[in-house]
């Protein structure tokens, strides 16, 4: 039978406005060219032995079926205990915690649960790339507030001007990807006051919570005065326990917010992998020593990565947290970040992420490339050798 003259389009309008992840595309290119992958942020060293054993034990003990959709009870209880211990923050595991498939789902479910088409969501730019499709999928309108290099501070007047009666939420990612900025108490307080003045939510992505340097401290927005009822906190096991492939995250929010978040989560993914939640229960009992050790290891990697990048001619913006370094590539005289990143992966065997993938206005990131340093010294040193020739080309 002949097809009708006018064909339907099978791409929804909502998918027409964003691309696949550039970070993950760079990983595919790294594999294709046998390059060192300093693009997608995941460790190349093993996850903690005890954690792996706990996962194996959980499978053997047959924790292999659906868990309660909002998370296995012992895991939610372990999450609540961790926040009580670390921040003196009381969370009700029955009504305020939702376990989800990584922070990426956590952010998407939170936005889908709280915004309507036409609502405005404020995002600091540069931003972690998934916030862009997240807001598009919700039909929300983005209001951007610039973080200015070299220390990635925002202009308080610009922030205030971004808020309006239409603001539903602001996304706050601290420690920040891609810049490594750790928002100070003063900055968080400015944001918190505006959220209260304009009756807006703060949706906070805190997955680098324990990766902070130079004596800086991570402060969860939810602990600030007036923010307990209007913050949605998102976090995961991925970065703290070096298990980015497990896809186990959580969302903490007041009961009324949690009710709608749980509905979205339930019908999107049902539950995060059950045995890995049981293993996570064990992980979250880790004490401060473990977290300090993690930050110390990454502080060493930061030093090594910045040294090799600076030697190769990149200008580094020193990160205060997380495990990425944003660099300025102006010295190389390349046409733009995308062509230079391709050149690096194809010709020199090192993958980074073009800066423009973290900006809505692509021009703003066209002289930047992000590299991750959550890698063995050996990997970083191989990358350094490969990059050493770049400036001579
Ligand atoms: N957070 C990591 C990054 O920024 C990777 C995220 C992902 O691919 N899900 O590189």
């Amino acid at each position: 039978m002949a097809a009708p003259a006018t064909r339907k389009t099978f791409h929804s309008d909502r998918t027409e406005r964003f691309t696949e992840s550039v970070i993950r595309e760079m990983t595919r290119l790294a594999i294709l060219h046998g390059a060192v992958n300093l693009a997608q942020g995941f460790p190349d060293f093993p996850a903690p032995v005890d954690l792996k054993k706990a996962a194996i034990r959980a499978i053997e003990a047959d924790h292999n079926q659906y868990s309660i959709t909002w998370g296995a009870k012992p895991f939610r209880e372990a999450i609540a205990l961790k926040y009580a211990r670390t921040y003196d923050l009381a969370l009700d595991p029955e009504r305020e915690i939702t376990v989800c498939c990584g922070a990426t789902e956590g952010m998407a479910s939170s936005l889908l649960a709280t915004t309507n088409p036409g609502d405005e969501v404020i995002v600091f730019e540069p931003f972690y790339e998934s916030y862009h499709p997240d807001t598009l999928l919700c039909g929300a309108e983005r209001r951007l507030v610039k973080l200015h290099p070299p220390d990635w501070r925002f202009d308080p007047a610009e922030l205030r001007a971004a808020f309006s009666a239409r603001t539903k939420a602001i996304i706050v990612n601290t420690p920040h990807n891609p810049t490594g900025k750790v928002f100070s108490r003063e900055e968080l307080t400015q944001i918190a006051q505006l959220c209260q003045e304009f009756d807006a939510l703060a949706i906070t992505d805190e997955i680098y919570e324990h990766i902070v340097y130079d004596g800086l401290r991570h402060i969860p927005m939810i602990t600030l005065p007036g923010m307990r009822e209007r913050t949605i906190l998102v976090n995961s096991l991925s970065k703290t326990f070096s298990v980015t492939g497990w896809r186990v995250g959580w969302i903490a929010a007041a009961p009324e917010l949690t009710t709608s978040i749980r509905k979205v989560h339930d019908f999107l993914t049902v539950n995060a992998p059950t045995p890995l939640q049981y293993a996570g229960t064990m992980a979250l009992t880790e004490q401060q020593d473990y977290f300090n050790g993690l930050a110390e290891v990454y502080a060493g990697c930061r030093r090594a990565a910045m040294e090799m990048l600076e030697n190769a001619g990149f200008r580094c913006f020193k990160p205060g947290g997380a495990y990425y370094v944003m660099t300025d590539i102006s010295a190389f005289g390349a046409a733009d970040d995308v062509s230079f990143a391709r050149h690096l992966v194809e010709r020199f065997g090192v993958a980074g992420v073009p800066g423009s993938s973290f900006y809505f206005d692509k021009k703003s990131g066209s002289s930047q490339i992000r590299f991750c340093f959550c890698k063995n010294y050996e990997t970083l040193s191989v990358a350094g050798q490969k990059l050493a020739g770049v400036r001579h080309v």
Side-chain angles (χ1 to χ4, degrees):
M1 208 190 292
T6 336
R7 302 292 303 272
K8 289 175 183 147
T9 164
F10 293 118
H11 302 290
S12 70
D13 293 344
R14 69 176 74 84
T15 64
E16 294 286 347
R17 294 170 59 203
F18 60 93
T19 63
E20 285 168 30
S21 156
V22 178
I23 297 176
R24 294 187 277 281
E25 184 193 358
M26 290 313 296
T27 286
R28 290 191 291 276
L29 281 178
I31 294 169
L32 184 69
H33 296 284
V36 181
N37 188 357
L38 302 187
Q40 195 177 14
F42 62 87
D44 69 345
F45 42 81
V49 173
D50 290 350
L51 186 53
K52 292 193 285 193
K53 285 194 180 147
I56 293 164
R57 274 201 308 276
I59 290 174
E60 283 175 348
D62 252 319
H63 291 298
N64 294 311
Q65 309 308 327
Y66 301 122
S67 57
I68 292 175
T69 178
W70 48 81
K73 193 175 164 67
F75 187 47
R76 277 181 286 119
E77 286 171 351
I79 294 168
L81 277 175
K82 183 199 177 309
Y83 283 94
R85 201 172 57 234
T86 319
Y87 302 108
D88 201 16
L89 170 67
L91 291 169
D92 177 355
E94 292 308 323
R95 299 190 310 146
E96 297 191 302
I97 294 173
T98 308
V99 176
C100 55
C101 296
T104 302
E105 191 223 305
M107 293 302 290
S109 288
S110 299
L111 283 157
L112 284 164
T114 56
T115 60
N116 291 313
D119 284 346
E120 290 186 0
V121 174
I122 301 174
V123 181
F124 289 103
E125 185 185 53
F127 50 80
Y128 176 56
E129 60 170 9
S130 77
Y131 309 153
H132 172 57
D134 284 351
T135 49
L136 284 174
L137 289 171
C138 294
E141 282 170 35
R142 244 178 346 268
R143 292 295 304 263
L144 297 169
V145 175
K146 289 262 186 223
L147 296 175
H148 300 280
D151 54 2
W152 308 102
R153 292 191 72 84
F154 58 82
D155 171 358
E158 191 188 339
L159 180 67
R160 165 165 281 280
F163 274 85
S164 75
R166 290 176 61 203
T167 309
K168 186 57 94 50
I170 178 166
I171 296 177
V172 183
N173 169 213
T174 181
H176 184 256
N177 179 4
T179 66
K181 174 188 174 68
V182 179
F183 283 67
S184 67
R185 182 175 292 278
E186 186 201 346
E187 289 172 317
L188 292 171
T189 302
Q190 284 169 19
I191 299 167
Q193 283 169 352
L194 289 166
C195 285
Q196 289 166 62
E197 186 180 330
F198 288 90
D199 193 19
L201 297 168
I203 304 181
T204 66
D205 178 345
E206 306 187 13
I207 59 164
Y208 301 99
E209 169 190 15
H210 291 292
I211 306 176
V212 283
Y213 313 113
D214 310 326
L216 293 171
R217 284 209 42 199
H218 169 69
I219 301 164
M221 178 71 97
I222 198 168
T223 62
L224 262 54
M227 294 308 286
R228 180 66 176 81
E229 305 298 316
R230 57 173 72 250
T231 302
I232 299 175
L233 177 160
V234 176
N235 204 332
S236 94
L237 295 180
S238 293
K239 314 289 181 178
T240 307
F241 299 100
S242 307
V243 286
T244 60
W246 280 19
R247 313 314 300 142
V248 179
W250 57 88
I251 309 163
E256 204 188 320
L257 292 166
T258 293
T259 305
S260 34
I261 291 167
R262 284 181 174 180
K263 284 195 269 186
V264 177
H265 158 73
D266 188 7
F267 286 103
L268 274 184
T269 60
V270 183
N271 66 258
T274 305
L276 305 183
Q277 294 186 51
Y278 279 86
T281 305
M282 184 224 96
L284 290 176
T285 60
E286 286 291 0
Q287 303 296 314
Q288 197 55 39
D289 276 0
Y290 171 84
F291 304 123
N292 293 346
L294 179 80
E296 225 168 87
V297 166
Y298 282 133
C301 298
R302 177 183 66 161
R303 204 176 311 118
M306 285 181 59
E307 192 181 302
M308 68 102 172
L309 287 164
E310 277 164 0
N311 284 342
F314 292 84
R315 177 177 170 219
C316 293
F317 300 110
K318 190 176 188 180
Y323 48 46
Y324 308 97
V325 55
M326 262 304 227
T327 65
D328 185 295
I329 56 169
S330 309
F332 299 104
D336 60 48
D337 59 317
V338 175
S339 57
F340 193 59
R342 282 195 170 255
H343 178 67
L344 288 181
V345 71
E346 287 166 12
R347 293 276 310 282
F348 291 91
V350 177
V353 181
S356 57
S357 21
F358 305 104
Y359 290 85
F360 184 65
D361 164 23
K362 299 293 168 206
K363 267 207 233 75
S364 307
S366 67
S367 62
Q368 294 169 354
I369 290 194
R370 187 200 79 173
F371 294 95
C372 71
F373 53 79
C374 43
K375 306 289 173 187
N376 277 304
Y377 285 128
E378 201 188 324
T379 310
L380 294 173
S381 137
V382 172
Q385 283 156 25
K386 288 173 179 278
L387 289 177
V390 178
R391 63 159 106 218
H392 304 299
V393 175

